[in-house]
Amino acid sequence: MIIRKKTRQIHVGNVAIGGDAPIVVQSMTNTDTADVESTVEQIHRLQDVGCELIRVAVPDVDAARAITEIRSRIAIPLIADIHFDSRLAVEALEHGAQAIRINPGNLGGEDKLARVVDAAKLHGVSIRVGVNSGSIEKDLLQQYGYPTPEKPDALIQSALRNVALLEKHRFFDLKISIKSSDTLTTIAGYQQLAAVTDYPLHVGVTEAGGLIPGTVKSSVALGILFYDGIGDTFRVSLTRDPIEEIKVGYELLRSLRIRERGPEMISCPTCGRTRIDLFSLAEKVEQHLQTMESNLKVAVMGCVVNGPGEAKEADIGIAGGNGVGIIFKKGEILKKLPEKELLPVFLEELDKMEQERKQKQG
């Protein structure tokens, strides 16, 4: 049984982080933030698959000022990602950012940090203290060395030093992240940090890579941390459409039985009995499931012989044959159809089950 480490609770907009709140799934846009239409369109797609917080890059004043309109057209809280320039942090807050991500030590000195803190207090927003392996102060690197799994101290001390800068200004509405591109360093760093602070933690592997390596690295690191009860919000960082980050994130939570959103799909790996384009079929079913909310178990199997038997625990399933296929529920055959009719009829059945469950719930 997973027992979450109890952290203090903060808010980003109306989303609670830490305390007894569920682990929050977030992502970051890869559009030009100043391009409001493209940014809003991408956030809408992310909302549709369950993204709960969205972060946008703020590299210039135009991006900061675009936040007002972006916020007015989306339904989830917006975080501004700031590097080096305290003026952009203040500008983003003045234009409606509901949280900011900063490294307090690189904003140009205590006076500039104080202006950012004053603006955050004025607008009632939280701050993420974000430290990466590549942004650690030189004196800490000299003292502790570059972070490794055996000695991640430089990451931890950098984070605590920057937290202390905010605490000095009587600001405590914050969360912490200490990211590395190395899986084992990420795990060791967060384990040690969690032992010395009760601030909520944003966890993740930075620069994790493309879909396959990024998913594996993030799943290993985050899976171990979540199993240890560490982590209050997270992003699966992929060199990919950010939609994939949310999909991987929820599957990760589901695999640990922490949170479930929408249907679970099970599918066979194919074998010599497969006589249908199972890869394409599974992909199309998976895309449809992303639009659903009900907690169904859905099976996509490669052959009629073993499909219903191997996947009899599924609420509904599909199995291909040689030019034909079947739809089954709880292991019992519901319909036998020509291959060309199989997918559209199956999607109709899924939608019916979705509606039936919604009606029962309310």
Side-chain angles (χ1 to χ4, degrees):
M1 179 180 178
I2 296 174
I3 300 175
R4 291 268 305 281
K5 173 182 166 59
K6 191 65 176 287
T7 56
R8 63 179 77 182
Q9 189 171 96
I10 67 169
H11 285 80
V12 177
N14 61 355
V15 174
I17 297 173
D20 296 322
I23 297 174
V24 175
V25 183
Q26 60 177 279
S27 185
M28 185 173 183
T29 59
N30 57 19
T31 60
D32 177 358
T33 306
D35 182 348
V36 172
E37 293 300 326
S38 295
T39 303
V40 168
E41 188 274 334
Q42 187 171 78
I43 295 173
H44 284 168
R45 291 194 299 117
L46 286 161
Q47 288 174 184
D48 289 342
V49 295
C51 184
E52 296 169 304
L53 294 176
I54 190 64
R55 182 157 46 109
V56 299
V58 181
D60 52 43
V61 172
D62 288 341
R65 292 175 178 172
I67 289 173
T68 301
E69 186 176 352
I70 294 169
R71 255 202 69 186
S72 71
R73 295 170 57 183
I74 64 176
I76 56 176
L78 184 148
I79 303 166
D81 190 79
I82 309 294
H83 286 278
F84 305 113
D85 195 331
S86 63
R87 294 169 298 178
L88 291 178
V90 173
E91 192 86 26
L93 291 167
E94 290 176 346
H95 283 83
Q98 290 152 290
I100 55 173
R101 183 270 190 190
I102 60 172
N103 185 331
N106 69 18
L107 288 180
E110 192 159 343
D111 289 345
K112 293 179 179 178
L113 176 61
R115 286 196 288 273
V116 174
V117 171
D118 288 343
K121 289 179 179 179
L122 176 65
H123 295 284
V125 308
S126 57
I127 293 175
R128 167 152 74 100
V129 173
V131 176
N132 289 350
S133 292
S135 62
I136 296 171
E137 298 89 330
K138 290 182 180 178
D139 66 310
L140 292 178
L141 289 174
Q142 291 175 350
Q143 182 176 356
Y144 297 104
Y146 192 80
T148 65
E150 296 73 28
K151 195 173 183 182
D153 303 65
L155 266 176
I156 298 160
Q157 294 305 316
S158 178
L160 295 177
R161 173 189 286 184
N162 284 292
V163 166
L165 291 175
L166 293 173
E167 292 176 332
K168 182 179 178 180
H169 292 278
R170 309 301 298 169
F171 192 90
F172 307 97
D173 193 13
L174 56 90
K175 61 182 181 288
I176 308 172
S177 67
I178 51 166
K179 293 188 178 183
S180 169
S181 59
D182 180 73
T183 302
L184 296 179
T185 301
T186 298
I187 295 167
Y190 276 111
Q191 287 174 333
Q192 293 186 32
L193 180 62
V196 296
T197 184
D198 68 346
Y199 283 114
L201 300 180
H202 170 97
V203 296
V205 178
T206 191
E207 301 160 0
L211 182 61
I212 293 176
T215 295
V216 172
K217 290 172 70 174
S218 295
S219 297
V220 170
L222 297 178
I224 290 172
L225 292 173
F226 289 155
Y227 191 79
D228 285 345
I230 297 169
D232 301 286
T233 180
F234 72 107
R235 175 192 178 194
V236 175
S237 298
L238 300 175
T239 309
R240 195 82 172 191
D241 186 326
I243 298 294
E244 304 291 345
E245 298 182 350
I246 302 301
K247 290 160 64 176
V248 173
Y250 275 109
E251 287 303 320
L252 173 56
L253 293 178
R254 188 199 300 275
S255 70
L256 291 168
R257 298 183 182 176
I258 294 173
R259 289 186 68 184
E260 293 187 1
R261 180 191 184 275
E264 175 186 8
M265 190 179 92
I266 59 176
S267 59
C268 69
T270 75
C271 70
R273 289 190 297 270
T274 304
R275 294 294 182 268
I276 194 170
D277 183 1
L278 188 64
F279 296 154
S280 176
L281 187 63
E283 184 177 352
K284 289 172 182 174
V285 172
E286 184 179 7
Q287 288 173 353
H288 191 80
L289 296 182
Q290 294 297 322
T291 67
M292 298 174 62
E293 298 177 8
S294 298
N295 184 23
L296 296 167
K297 179 168 281 191
V298 179
V300 180
M301 308 300 285
C303 73
V304 175
V305 175
N306 289 340
E310 291 183 356
K312 61 184 177 182
E313 77 277 14
D315 295 300
I316 185 170
I318 187 172
N322 190 7
V324 297
I326 60 169
I327 296 172
F328 56 92
K329 290 186 176 182
K330 295 294 185 181
E332 299 294 328
I333 295 176
L334 179 68
K335 294 179 180 179
K336 184 175 182 180
L337 298 162
E339 183 178 335
K340 65 180 181 180
E341 297 178 20
L342 194 57
L343 179 62
V345 174
F346 185 61
L347 298 184
E348 287 178 9
E349 290 293 331
L350 285 174
D351 290 338
K352 285 180 187 177
M353 294 184 73
E354 171 94 334
Q355 290 304 314
E356 288 170 0
R357 295 212 170 187
K358 285 184 176 180
Q359 287 171 2
K360 287 180 181 179
Q361 293 172 356

